[in-house]
């Protein structure tokens, strides 16, 4: 049986699962300037969540900037 979930890459569009509460909270934190740390096991969608929120916020505010750093191999 094939899994409907995508692993090992950033997920967008229809493959992104319904995480409305997490999206709302992260948007509020970013708009309020609250430092936020997402903690969960590997491959649970943290990067996909942040990418989704950053895309949403950039469409609402062209002055908002995001920087993504991958420190996994350090």
């Amino acid at each position: 049986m094939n899994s409907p979930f995508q692993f090992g890459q950033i997920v967008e569009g229809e493959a992104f699962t319904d995480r409305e509460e997490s999206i709302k909270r992260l948007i509020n934190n970013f708009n309020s300037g609250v430092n936020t740390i997402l903690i969960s096991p590997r491959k649970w969608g943290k990067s996909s969540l942040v990418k989704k929120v950053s895309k949403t916020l950039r469409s609402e505010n062209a002055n908002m900037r995001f920087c993504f750093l991958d420190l996994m191999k350090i």
Side-chain angles (χ1 to χ4, degrees), residues 5 13-24 49 52:
F5 301 105
E14 290 182 15
F16 188 83
T17 60
D18 182 29
R19 296 178 69 176
E20 296 303 318
E21 286 302 315
S22 297
I23 291 170
K24 287 178 192 174
L49 175 64
K52 167 101 171 146

Side-chain angles (χ1 to χ4, degrees), residues 39-51:
I39 300 173
S40 72
R42 294 184 69 222
K43 309 298 179 193
W44 279 28
K46 296 176 295 293
S47 296
S48 297
L49 175 64
V50 173
K51 286 279 189 175

Side-chain angles (χ1 to χ4, degrees), residues 6-63:
Q6 295 179 11
F7 296 98
Q9 61 189 16
I10 301 293
V11 178
E12 296 180 311
E14 290 182 15
F16 188 83
T17 60
D18 182 29
R19 296 178 69 176
E20 296 303 318
E21 286 302 315
S22 297
I23 291 170
K24 287 178 192 174
R25 185 168 186 181
L26 200 52
I27 286 174
N28 287 337
N29 284 0
F30 285 167
N31 282 331
S32 300
V34 175
N35 292 327
T36 304
I37 298 173
L38 301 176
I39 300 173
S40 72
R42 294 184 69 222
K43 309 298 179 193
W44 279 28
K46 296 176 295 293
S47 296
S48 297
L49 175 64
V50 173
K51 286 279 189 175
K52 167 101 171 146
V53 170
S54 69
K55 198 174 200 179
T56 300
L57 287 174
R58 283 183 285 158
S59 70
E60 295 172 1
N61 181 354
N63 293 323

